[in-house]
Amino acid sequence: MNGETRLLAPLVPTRGYFPDFLTPAEGLLGMDEALAALRETPAARLHDELSRLPTAARPLPAWIRDMAEGSSRSLGRLAGVLQRYYEAAVAPCWSRVQGRIEADRAARGRALLDGGADRLLASLPPMLRWRAPVLEADYPVDRDLHLNGRGLLLLPSYFCRRTPVTFHNPDLTPVLVYPVEHQTPRLTPPVPPERSLSRLVGHTRSAILQGIGIGCTTSELARRVDVSLASASQHATVLRDAGLLLTLRQGNAVLHTLTPLGAALLRGARTAEMRG
């Protein structure tokens, strides 16, 4: 993976600008679709965006300069490097990443249902502040993004840290990528859940898993399962330790959501019940 990291470093500096074509909209559909879109990037766009990379400290590698001149071979090389990096650094941890993203989406969806767009925008992380009609952000540089009647796509990101990110080109679809809440200092592969799962026995915890739905607070969970608040909290802790749910703090309350593992466990149980 070190080789891929060295190759990608000039394209994605730790701070400052990086080309918009590296994050195509097709990425919402999956890695294969994103790489296919990247391979189809027009030569003129490659030249325009790659020419903005800083070169004062160190010249760009020859293969990136070739890509800026429209080399399809260099563009294919980039797609291969990104694929290998994804498989080595992201895929082993994808379940954890996806679980955190789904928890954030559940929190934003709940805010939208409770209070509309105003409540949704006010619920975003602290580096974003909704002062109608302006959404202010702690952005690395001073800039304004005018929607001009267009919608704004909000994308929670596990890998975005401290400040949000948006496209450099204001003519592209307005997108704001913002950091999700992190409970651990860095991403590590998930611990095998066998030891934690051995604690998952009994009717109540099964009911807890089924009662979470698309997300609920501890108080709502206690009412749905008909147990005390303390009991619901205790069972939710065991389920969280087992990797079956995530807990996201929202003001004075917490919101529980299923992880992909928890959802898969429920689907398996329902399939077995139907076959029975």
Side-chain angles (χ1 to χ4, degrees), residues 1-39:
M1 188 176 71
N2 288 338
E4 279 73 17
T5 302
R6 286 194 298 271
L7 287 170
L8 292 172
L11 285 173
V12 189
T14 55
R15 295 185 63 185
Y17 168 82
F18 63 90
D20 292 336
F21 77 88
L22 292 174
T23 51
E26 290 81 359
L28 293 173
L29 304 176
M31 190 64 181
D32 291 341
E33 291 80 0
L35 292 177
L38 182 140
R39 291 188 181 96

PDB file of all heavy atoms in Angstrom, residues 1-39:
ATOM      1  N   MET A   1       0.825  -1.202   0.000  1.00  0.00           N
ATOM      2  CA  MET A   1       0.000   0.000   0.000  1.00  0.00           C
ATOM      3  C   MET A   1       0.864   1.259   0.000  1.00  0.00           C
ATOM      4  O   MET A   1       0.429   2.311  -0.444  1.00  0.00           O
ATOM      5  CB  MET A   1      -0.941  -0.004   1.198  1.00  0.00           C
ATOM      6  CG  MET A   1      -1.977   1.115   1.165  1.00  0.00           C
ATOM      7  SD  MET A   1      -3.150   1.015   2.516  1.00  0.00           S
ATOM      8  CE  MET A   1      -2.132   1.464   3.907  1.00  0.00           C
ATOM      9  N   ASN A   2       2.098   1.158   0.519  1.00  0.00           N
ATOM     10  CA  ASN A   2       2.952   2.346   0.565  1.00  0.00           C
ATOM     11  C   ASN A   2       3.217   2.902  -0.827  1.00  0.00           C
ATOM     12  O   ASN A   2       3.310   4.115  -1.021  1.00  0.00           O
ATOM     13  CB  ASN A   2       4.271   2.009   1.265  1.00  0.00           C
ATOM     14  CG  ASN A   2       4.087   1.823   2.763  1.00  0.00           C
ATOM     15  OD1 ASN A   2       3.129   2.317   3.325  1.00  0.00           O
ATOM     16  ND2 ASN A   2       4.988   1.097   3.388  1.00  0.00           N
ATOM     17  N   GLY A   3       3.359   1.988  -1.816  1.00  0.00           N
ATOM     18  CA  GLY A   3       3.588   2.454  -3.181  1.00  0.00           C
ATOM     19  C   GLY A   3       2.418   3.251  -3.707  1.00  0.00           C
ATOM     20  O   GLY A   3       2.603   4.309  -4.330  1.00  0.00           O
ATOM     21  N   GLU A   4       1.192   2.776  -3.445  1.00  0.00           N
ATOM     22  CA  GLU A   4       0.006   3.495  -3.886  1.00  0.00           C
ATOM     23  C   GLU A   4      -0.097   4.859  -3.193  1.00  0.00           C
ATOM     24  O   GLU A   4      -0.458   5.865  -3.796  1.00  0.00           O
ATOM     25  CB  GLU A   4      -1.255   2.662  -3.602  1.00  0.00           C
ATOM     26  CG  GLU A   4      -1.548   1.586  -4.620  1.00  0.00           C
ATOM     27  CD  GLU A   4      -0.591   0.418  -4.509  1.00  0.00           C
ATOM     28  OE1 GLU A   4       0.077   0.295  -3.475  1.00  0.00           O
ATOM     29  OE2 GLU A   4      -0.493  -0.373  -5.470  1.00  0.00           O
ATOM     30  N   THR A   5       0.251   4.887  -1.903  1.00  0.00           N
ATOM     31  CA  THR A   5       0.189   6.142  -1.159  1.00  0.00           C
ATOM     32  C   THR A   5       1.144   7.171  -1.748  1.00  0.00           C
ATOM     33  O   THR A   5       0.791   8.349  -1.903  1.00  0.00           O
ATOM     34  CB  THR A   5       0.527   5.891   0.322  1.00  0.00           C
ATOM     35  OG1 THR A   5      -0.390   4.938   0.867  1.00  0.00           O
ATOM     36  CG2 THR A   5       0.432   7.178   1.119  1.00  0.00           C
ATOM     37  N   ARG A   6       2.350   6.738  -2.083  1.00  0.00           N
ATOM     38  CA  ARG A   6       3.319   7.668  -2.671  1.00  0.00           C
ATOM     39  C   ARG A   6       2.850   8.185  -4.020  1.00  0.00           C
ATOM     40  O   ARG A   6       3.046   9.357  -4.363  1.00  0.00           O
ATOM     41  CB  ARG A   6       4.677   6.981  -2.812  1.00  0.00           C
ATOM     42  CG  ARG A   6       5.423   6.797  -1.499  1.00  0.00           C
ATOM     43  CD  ARG A   6       6.869   6.443  -1.739  1.00  0.00           C
ATOM     44  NE  ARG A   6       7.007   5.182  -2.443  1.00  0.00           N
ATOM     45  CZ  ARG A   6       7.084   3.987  -1.857  1.00  0.00           C
ATOM     46  NH1 ARG A   6       7.049   3.920  -0.532  1.00  0.00           N
ATOM     47  NH2 ARG A   6       7.222   2.897  -2.559  1.00  0.00           N
ATOM     48  N   LEU A   7       2.222   7.319  -4.802  1.00  0.00           N
ATOM     49  CA  LEU A   7       1.742   7.748  -6.121  1.00  0.00           C
ATOM     50  C   LEU A   7       0.590   8.747  -6.010  1.00  0.00           C
ATOM     51  O   LEU A   7       0.474   9.680  -6.805  1.00  0.00           O
ATOM     52  CB  LEU A   7       1.307   6.530  -6.933  1.00  0.00           C
ATOM     53  CG  LEU A   7       2.417   5.628  -7.474  1.00  0.00           C
ATOM     54  CD1 LEU A   7       1.839   4.342  -8.038  1.00  0.00           C
ATOM     55  CD2 LEU A   7       3.230   6.354  -8.536  1.00  0.00           C
ATOM     56  N   LEU A   8      -0.267   8.555  -5.013  1.00  0.00           N
ATOM     57  CA  LEU A   8      -1.443   9.413  -4.876  1.00  0.00           C
ATOM     58  C   LEU A   8      -1.154  10.726  -4.155  1.00  0.00           C
ATOM     59  O   LEU A   8      -1.906  11.687  -4.312  1.00  0.00           O
ATOM     60  CB  LEU A   8      -2.547   8.662  -4.114  1.00  0.00           C
ATOM     61  CG  LEU A   8      -3.191   7.474  -4.832  1.00  0.00           C
ATOM     62  CD1 LEU A   8      -4.116   6.722  -3.898  1.00  0.00           C
ATOM     63  CD2 LEU A   8      -3.936   7.931  -6.078  1.00  0.00           C
ATOM     64  N   ALA A   9      -0.073  10.766  -3.382  1.00  0.00           N
ATOM     65  CA  ALA A   9       0.213  11.951  -2.560  1.00  0.00           C
ATOM     66  C   ALA A   9       0.246  13.255  -3.350  1.00  0.00           C
ATOM     67  O   ALA A   9      -0.317  14.265  -2.893  1.00  0.00           O
ATOM     68  CB  ALA A   9       1.516  11.748  -1.798  1.00  0.00           C
ATOM     69  N   PRO A  10       0.862  13.323  -4.547  1.00  0.00           N
ATOM     70  CA  PRO A  10       0.866  14.603  -5.272  1.00  0.00           C
ATOM     71  C   PRO A  10      -0.529  15.040  -5.724  1.00  0.00           C
ATOM     72  O   PRO A  10      -0.775  16.227  -5.914  1.00  0.00           O
ATOM     73  CB  PRO A  10       1.764  14.318  -6.489  1.00  0.00           C
ATOM     74  CG  PRO A  10       2.571  13.128  -6.114  1.00  0.00           C
ATOM     75  CD  PRO A  10       1.691  12.313  -5.240  1.00  0.00           C
ATOM     76  N   LEU A  11      -1.455  14.071  -5.903  1.00  0.00           N
ATOM     77  CA  LEU A  11      -2.805  14.401  -6.354  1.00  0.00           C
ATOM     78  C   LEU A  11      -3.704  14.842  -5.209  1.00  0.00           C
ATOM     79  O   LEU A  11      -4.644  15.610  -5.414  1.00  0.00           O
ATOM     80  CB  LEU A  11      -3.434  13.186  -7.045  1.00  0.00           C
ATOM     81  CG  LEU A  11      -2.952  12.859  -8.450  1.00  0.00           C
ATOM     82  CD1 LEU A  11      -3.546  11.535  -8.904  1.00  0.00           C
ATOM     83  CD2 LEU A  11      -3.318  13.959  -9.423  1.00  0.00           C
ATOM     84  N   VAL A  12      -3.438  14.333  -4.018  1.00  0.00           N
ATOM     85  CA  VAL A  12      -4.293  14.625  -2.865  1.00  0.00           C
ATOM     86  C   VAL A  12      -3.411  15.115  -1.722  1.00  0.00           C
ATOM     87  O   VAL A  12      -3.063  14.349  -0.818  1.00  0.00           O
ATOM     88  CB  VAL A  12      -5.103  13.379  -2.434  1.00  0.00           C
ATOM     89  CG1 VAL A  12      -6.147  13.763  -1.387  1.00  0.00           C
ATOM     90  CG2 VAL A  12      -5.774  12.724  -3.626  1.00  0.00           C
ATOM     91  N   PRO A  13      -3.012  16.376  -1.740  1.00  0.00           N
ATOM     92  CA  PRO A  13      -2.179  16.913  -0.651  1.00  0.00           C
ATOM     93  C   PRO A  13      -2.922  16.850   0.677  1.00  0.00           C
ATOM     94  O   PRO A  13      -4.154  16.774   0.728  1.00  0.00           O
ATOM     95  CB  PRO A  13      -1.935  18.366  -1.078  1.00  0.00           C
ATOM     96  CG  PRO A  13      -2.283  18.430  -2.536  1.00  0.00           C
ATOM     97  CD  PRO A  13      -3.307  17.396  -2.764  1.00  0.00           C
ATOM     98  N   THR A  14      -2.164  16.869   1.760  1.00  0.00           N
ATOM     99  CA  THR A  14      -2.792  16.843   3.090  1.00  0.00           C
ATOM    100  C   THR A  14      -3.609  18.099   3.352  1.00  0.00           C
ATOM    101  O   THR A  14      -4.542  18.078   4.149  1.00  0.00           O
ATOM    102  CB  THR A  14      -1.725  16.691   4.186  1.00  0.00           C
ATOM    103  OG1 THR A  14      -0.749  17.729   4.037  1.00  0.00           O
ATOM    104  CG2 THR A  14      -1.037  15.341   4.073  1.00  0.00           C
ATOM    105  N   ARG A  15      -3.267  19.188   2.671  1.00  0.00           N
ATOM    106  CA  ARG A  15      -4.029  20.421   2.805  1.00  0.00           C
ATOM    107  C   ARG A  15      -4.174  21.066   1.431  1.00  0.00           C
ATOM    108  O   ARG A  15      -3.331  20.916   0.558  1.00  0.00           O
ATOM    109  CB  ARG A  15      -3.325  21.404   3.749  1.00  0.00           C
ATOM    110  CG  ARG A  15      -3.219  20.931   5.188  1.00  0.00           C
ATOM    111  CD  ARG A  15      -2.623  22.011   6.061  1.00  0.00           C
ATOM    112  NE  ARG A  15      -3.478  23.201   6.097  1.00  0.00           N
ATOM    113  CZ  ARG A  15      -3.135  24.316   6.721  1.00  0.00           C
ATOM    114  NH1 ARG A  15      -1.970  24.409   7.335  1.00  0.00           N
ATOM    115  NH2 ARG A  15      -3.956  25.351   6.717  1.00  0.00           N
ATOM    116  N   GLY A  16      -5.267  21.803   1.264  1.00  0.00           N
ATOM    117  CA  GLY A  16      -5.427  22.577   0.043  1.00  0.00           C
ATOM    118  C   GLY A  16      -6.152  21.835  -1.061  1.00  0.00           C
ATOM    119  O   GLY A  16      -6.804  20.808  -0.854  1.00  0.00           O
ATOM    120  N   TYR A  17      -6.004  22.354  -2.248  1.00  0.00           N
ATOM    121  CA  TYR A  17      -6.754  21.914  -3.424  1.00  0.00           C
ATOM    122  C   TYR A  17      -6.407  20.487  -3.841  1.00  0.00           C
ATOM    123  O   TYR A  17      -5.246  20.063  -3.762  1.00  0.00           O
ATOM    124  CB  TYR A  17      -6.447  22.875  -4.575  1.00  0.00           C
ATOM    125  CG  TYR A  17      -6.931  22.388  -5.928  1.00  0.00           C
ATOM    126  CD1 TYR A  17      -8.252  22.561  -6.317  1.00  0.00           C
ATOM    127  CD2 TYR A  17      -6.056  21.743  -6.807  1.00  0.00           C
ATOM    128  CE1 TYR A  17      -8.697  22.112  -7.549  1.00  0.00           C
ATOM    129  CE2 TYR A  17      -6.492  21.297  -8.046  1.00  0.00           C
ATOM    130  CZ  TYR A  17      -7.807  21.478  -8.417  1.00  0.00           C
ATOM    131  OH  TYR A  17      -8.246  21.034  -9.634  1.00  0.00           O
ATOM    132  N   PHE A  18      -7.443  19.752  -4.276  1.00  0.00           N
ATOM    133  CA  PHE A  18      -7.226  18.516  -5.031  1.00  0.00           C
ATOM    134  C   PHE A  18      -8.283  18.462  -6.125  1.00  0.00           C
ATOM    135  O   PHE A  18      -9.370  19.013  -5.980  1.00  0.00           O
ATOM    136  CB  PHE A  18      -7.273  17.268  -4.131  1.00  0.00           C
ATOM    137  CG  PHE A  18      -8.591  17.023  -3.461  1.00  0.00           C
ATOM    138  CD1 PHE A  18      -9.566  16.250  -4.063  1.00  0.00           C
ATOM    139  CD2 PHE A  18      -8.849  17.553  -2.202  1.00  0.00           C
ATOM    140  CE1 PHE A  18     -10.776  16.013  -3.441  1.00  0.00           C
ATOM    141  CE2 PHE A  18     -10.061  17.328  -1.571  1.00  0.00           C
ATOM    142  CZ  PHE A  18     -11.028  16.548  -2.198  1.00  0.00           C
ATOM    143  N   PRO A  19      -7.990  17.796  -7.256  1.00  0.00           N
ATOM    144  CA  PRO A  19      -8.864  17.865  -8.434  1.00  0.00           C
ATOM    145  C   PRO A  19     -10.262  17.311  -8.174  1.00  0.00           C
ATOM    146  O   PRO A  19     -10.439  16.282  -7.511  1.00  0.00           O
ATOM    147  CB  PRO A  19      -8.110  17.025  -9.471  1.00  0.00           C
ATOM    148  CG  PRO A  19      -6.688  17.058  -9.035  1.00  0.00           C
ATOM    149  CD  PRO A  19      -6.725  17.082  -7.541  1.00  0.00           C
ATOM    150  N   ASP A  20     -11.255  17.980  -8.744  1.00  0.00           N
ATOM    151  CA  ASP A  20     -12.649  17.559  -8.585  1.00  0.00           C
ATOM    152  C   ASP A  20     -12.932  16.217  -9.256  1.00  0.00           C
ATOM    153  O   ASP A  20     -13.793  15.461  -8.791  1.00  0.00           O
ATOM    154  CB  ASP A  20     -13.582  18.623  -9.188  1.00  0.00           C
ATOM    155  CG  ASP A  20     -13.581  19.930  -8.397  1.00  0.00           C
ATOM    156  OD1 ASP A  20     -13.267  19.888  -7.199  1.00  0.00           O
ATOM    157  OD2 ASP A  20     -13.888  20.980  -8.994  1.00  0.00           O
ATOM    158  N   PHE A  21     -12.227  15.889 -10.347  1.00  0.00           N
ATOM    159  CA  PHE A  21     -12.558  14.671 -11.087  1.00  0.00           C
ATOM    160  C   PHE A  21     -12.266  13.407 -10.277  1.00  0.00           C
ATOM    161  O   PHE A  21     -12.729  12.317 -10.631  1.00  0.00           O
ATOM    162  CB  PHE A  21     -11.820  14.631 -12.430  1.00  0.00           C
ATOM    163  CG  PHE A  21     -10.366  14.247 -12.351  1.00  0.00           C
ATOM    164  CD1 PHE A  21      -9.980  12.913 -12.402  1.00  0.00           C
ATOM    165  CD2 PHE A  21      -9.379  15.214 -12.260  1.00  0.00           C
ATOM    166  CE1 PHE A  21      -8.638  12.554 -12.335  1.00  0.00           C
ATOM    167  CE2 PHE A  21      -8.037  14.873 -12.200  1.00  0.00           C
ATOM    168  CZ  PHE A  21      -7.664  13.528 -12.234  1.00  0.00           C
ATOM    169  N   LEU A  22     -11.519  13.543  -9.175  1.00  0.00           N
ATOM    170  CA  LEU A  22     -11.220  12.387  -8.332  1.00  0.00           C
ATOM    171  C   LEU A  22     -12.438  11.920  -7.539  1.00  0.00           C
ATOM    172  O   LEU A  22     -12.429  10.811  -6.997  1.00  0.00           O
ATOM    173  CB  LEU A  22     -10.083  12.721  -7.368  1.00  0.00           C
ATOM    174  CG  LEU A  22      -8.708  12.947  -7.999  1.00  0.00           C
ATOM    175  CD1 LEU A  22      -7.714  13.415  -6.947  1.00  0.00           C
ATOM    176  CD2 LEU A  22      -8.212  11.689  -8.686  1.00  0.00           C
ATOM    177  N   THR A  23     -13.472  12.745  -7.451  1.00  0.00           N
ATOM    178  CA  THR A  23     -14.678  12.373  -6.696  1.00  0.00           C
ATOM    179  C   THR A  23     -15.908  12.522  -7.594  1.00  0.00           C
ATOM    180  O   THR A  23     -16.725  13.417  -7.403  1.00  0.00           O
ATOM    181  CB  THR A  23     -14.828  13.255  -5.442  1.00  0.00           C
ATOM    182  OG1 THR A  23     -14.718  14.645  -5.834  1.00  0.00           O
ATOM    183  CG2 THR A  23     -13.741  12.955  -4.435  1.00  0.00           C
ATOM    184  N   PRO A  24     -16.060  11.638  -8.590  1.00  0.00           N
ATOM    185  CA  PRO A  24     -17.212  11.743  -9.496  1.00  0.00           C
ATOM    186  C   PRO A  24     -18.514  11.425  -8.778  1.00  0.00           C
ATOM    187  O   PRO A  24     -18.539  10.686  -7.786  1.00  0.00           O
ATOM    188  CB  PRO A  24     -16.899  10.692 -10.568  1.00  0.00           C
ATOM    189  CG  PRO A  24     -16.027   9.692  -9.877  1.00  0.00           C
ATOM    190  CD  PRO A  24     -15.194  10.484  -8.900  1.00  0.00           C
ATOM    191  N   ALA A  25     -19.601  11.979  -9.298  1.00  0.00           N
ATOM    192  CA  ALA A  25     -20.914  11.747  -8.689  1.00  0.00           C
ATOM    193  C   ALA A  25     -21.294  10.277  -8.707  1.00  0.00           C
ATOM    194  O   ALA A  25     -22.026   9.800  -7.837  1.00  0.00           O
ATOM    195  CB  ALA A  25     -21.970  12.568  -9.436  1.00  0.00           C
ATOM    196  N   GLU A  26     -20.763   9.523  -9.661  1.00  0.00           N
ATOM    197  CA  GLU A  26     -21.077   8.091  -9.755  1.00  0.00           C
ATOM    198  C   GLU A  26     -20.559   7.304  -8.562  1.00  0.00           C
ATOM    199  O   GLU A  26     -20.930   6.142  -8.365  1.00  0.00           O
ATOM    200  CB  GLU A  26     -20.492   7.517 -11.052  1.00  0.00           C
ATOM    201  CG  GLU A  26     -21.189   7.986 -12.323  1.00  0.00           C
ATOM    202  CD  GLU A  26     -20.743   9.366 -12.786  1.00  0.00           C
ATOM    203  OE1 GLU A  26     -19.887   9.983 -12.092  1.00  0.00           O
ATOM    204  OE2 GLU A  26     -21.245   9.831 -13.813  1.00  0.00           O
ATOM    205  N   GLY A  27     -19.698   7.933  -7.756  1.00  0.00           N
ATOM    206  CA  GLY A  27     -19.208   7.257  -6.569  1.00  0.00           C
ATOM    207  C   GLY A  27     -20.314   6.876  -5.597  1.00  0.00           C
ATOM    208  O   GLY A  27     -20.142   5.963  -4.785  1.00  0.00           O
ATOM    209  N   LEU A  28     -21.452   7.563  -5.671  1.00  0.00           N
ATOM    210  CA  LEU A  28     -22.594   7.195  -4.824  1.00  0.00           C
ATOM    211  C   LEU A  28     -23.113   5.804  -5.144  1.00  0.00           C
ATOM    212  O   LEU A  28     -23.775   5.171  -4.318  1.00  0.00           O
ATOM    213  CB  LEU A  28     -23.718   8.218  -5.002  1.00  0.00           C
ATOM    214  CG  LEU A  28     -23.442   9.634  -4.478  1.00  0.00           C
ATOM    215  CD1 LEU A  28     -24.564  10.574  -4.886  1.00  0.00           C
ATOM    216  CD2 LEU A  28     -23.279   9.629  -2.965  1.00  0.00           C
ATOM    217  N   LEU A  29     -22.807   5.307  -6.352  1.00  0.00           N
ATOM    218  CA  LEU A  29     -23.296   3.991  -6.781  1.00  0.00           C
ATOM    219  C   LEU A  29     -22.334   2.871  -6.433  1.00  0.00           C
ATOM    220  O   LEU A  29     -22.697   1.702  -6.491  1.00  0.00           O
ATOM    221  CB  LEU A  29     -23.543   4.008  -8.296  1.00  0.00           C
ATOM    222  CG  LEU A  29     -24.500   5.079  -8.809  1.00  0.00           C
ATOM    223  CD1 LEU A  29     -24.576   5.031 -10.329  1.00  0.00           C
ATOM    224  CD2 LEU A  29     -25.884   4.892  -8.202  1.00  0.00           C
ATOM    225  N   GLY A  30     -21.081   3.214  -6.106  1.00  0.00           N
ATOM    226  CA  GLY A  30     -20.107   2.185  -5.770  1.00  0.00           C
ATOM    227  C   GLY A  30     -18.752   2.467  -6.392  1.00  0.00           C
ATOM    228  O   GLY A  30     -18.599   3.346  -7.248  1.00  0.00           O
ATOM    229  N   MET A  31     -17.756   1.699  -5.948  1.00  0.00           N
ATOM    230  CA  MET A  31     -16.393   1.919  -6.402  1.00  0.00           C
ATOM    231  C   MET A  31     -16.230   1.632  -7.889  1.00  0.00           C
ATOM    232  O   MET A  31     -15.539   2.371  -8.604  1.00  0.00           O
ATOM    233  CB  MET A  31     -15.436   1.035  -5.593  1.00  0.00           C
ATOM    234  CG  MET A  31     -13.969   1.348  -5.807  1.00  0.00           C
ATOM    235  SD  MET A  31     -13.549   3.022  -5.241  1.00  0.00           S
ATOM    236  CE  MET A  31     -11.810   3.094  -5.643  1.00  0.00           C
ATOM    237  N   ASP A  32     -16.842   0.579  -8.393  1.00  0.00           N
ATOM    238  CA  ASP A  32     -16.702   0.240  -9.817  1.00  0.00           C
ATOM    239  C   ASP A  32     -17.242   1.363 -10.696  1.00  0.00           C
ATOM    240  O   ASP A  32     -16.616   1.743 -11.701  1.00  0.00           O
ATOM    241  CB  ASP A  32     -17.439  -1.067 -10.128  1.00  0.00           C
ATOM    242  CG  ASP A  32     -16.754  -2.275  -9.499  1.00  0.00           C
ATOM    243  OD1 ASP A  32     -15.562  -2.152  -9.147  1.00  0.00           O
ATOM    244  OD2 ASP A  32     -17.415  -3.310  -9.339  1.00  0.00           O
ATOM    245  N   GLU A  33     -18.409   1.893 -10.325  1.00  0.00           N
ATOM    246  CA  GLU A  33     -19.000   2.975 -11.109  1.00  0.00           C
ATOM    247  C   GLU A  33     -18.145   4.244 -11.036  1.00  0.00           C
ATOM    248  O   GLU A  33     -17.996   4.965 -12.024  1.00  0.00           O
ATOM    249  CB  GLU A  33     -20.409   3.276 -10.610  1.00  0.00           C
ATOM    250  CG  GLU A  33     -21.435   2.190 -10.892  1.00  0.00           C
ATOM    251  CD  GLU A  33     -21.381   1.035  -9.933  1.00  0.00           C
ATOM    252  OE1 GLU A  33     -20.528   1.058  -9.004  1.00  0.00           O
ATOM    253  OE2 GLU A  33     -22.182   0.087 -10.084  1.00  0.00           O
ATOM    254  N   ALA A  34     -17.562   4.509  -9.861  1.00  0.00           N
ATOM    255  CA  ALA A  34     -16.716   5.689  -9.707  1.00  0.00           C
ATOM    256  C   ALA A  34     -15.478   5.598 -10.591  1.00  0.00           C
ATOM    257  O   ALA A  34     -15.098   6.571 -11.259  1.00  0.00           O
ATOM    258  CB  ALA A  34     -16.307   5.848  -8.242  1.00  0.00           C
ATOM    259  N   LEU A  35     -14.848   4.433 -10.616  1.00  0.00           N
ATOM    260  CA  LEU A  35     -13.638   4.269 -11.422  1.00  0.00           C
ATOM    261  C   LEU A  35     -13.958   4.321 -12.915  1.00  0.00           C
ATOM    262  O   LEU A  35     -13.170   4.851 -13.709  1.00  0.00           O
ATOM    263  CB  LEU A  35     -12.953   2.949 -11.072  1.00  0.00           C
ATOM    264  CG  LEU A  35     -12.342   2.884  -9.670  1.00  0.00           C
ATOM    265  CD1 LEU A  35     -11.760   1.510  -9.406  1.00  0.00           C
ATOM    266  CD2 LEU A  35     -11.277   3.954  -9.489  1.00  0.00           C
ATOM    267  N   ALA A  36     -15.122   3.781 -13.297  1.00  0.00           N
ATOM    268  CA  ALA A  36     -15.523   3.859 -14.703  1.00  0.00           C
ATOM    269  C   ALA A  36     -15.723   5.307 -15.124  1.00  0.00           C
ATOM    270  O   ALA A  36     -15.307   5.716 -16.214  1.00  0.00           O
ATOM    271  CB  ALA A  36     -16.807   3.049 -14.923  1.00  0.00           C
ATOM    272  N   ALA A  37     -16.340   6.115 -14.262  1.00  0.00           N
ATOM    273  CA  ALA A  37     -16.542   7.525 -14.572  1.00  0.00           C
ATOM    274  C   ALA A  37     -15.206   8.259 -14.629  1.00  0.00           C
ATOM    275  O   ALA A  37     -14.994   9.131 -15.486  1.00  0.00           O
ATOM    276  CB  ALA A  37     -17.457   8.165 -13.526  1.00  0.00           C
ATOM    277  N   LEU A  38     -14.302   7.918 -13.714  1.00  0.00           N
ATOM    278  CA  LEU A  38     -12.994   8.569 -13.709  1.00  0.00           C
ATOM    279  C   LEU A  38     -12.246   8.308 -15.017  1.00  0.00           C
ATOM    280  O   LEU A  38     -11.612   9.207 -15.568  1.00  0.00           O
ATOM    281  CB  LEU A  38     -12.181   8.063 -12.515  1.00  0.00           C
ATOM    282  CG  LEU A  38     -10.794   8.681 -12.312  1.00  0.00           C
ATOM    283  CD1 LEU A  38     -10.535   8.923 -10.835  1.00  0.00           C
ATOM    284  CD2 LEU A  38      -9.701   7.783 -12.884  1.00  0.00           C
ATOM    285  N   ARG A  39     -12.334   7.081 -15.529  1.00  0.00           N
ATOM    286  CA  ARG A  39     -11.644   6.741 -16.779  1.00  0.00           C
ATOM    287  C   ARG A  39     -12.192   7.524 -17.974  1.00  0.00           C
ATOM    288  O   ARG A  39     -11.514   7.665 -18.988  1.00  0.00           O
ATOM    289  CB  ARG A  39     -11.754   5.239 -17.056  1.00  0.00           C
ATOM    290  CG  ARG A  39     -10.968   4.358 -16.096  1.00  0.00           C
ATOM    291  CD  ARG A  39     -10.989   2.909 -16.564  1.00  0.00           C
ATOM    292  NE  ARG A  39     -10.269   2.037 -15.655  1.00  0.00           N
ATOM    293  CZ  ARG A  39     -10.840   1.328 -14.680  1.00  0.00           C
ATOM    294  NH1 ARG A  39     -12.170   1.407 -14.506  1.00  0.00           N
ATOM    295  NH2 ARG A  39     -10.116   0.559 -13.901  1.00  0.00           N
TER     296      ARG A  39
END
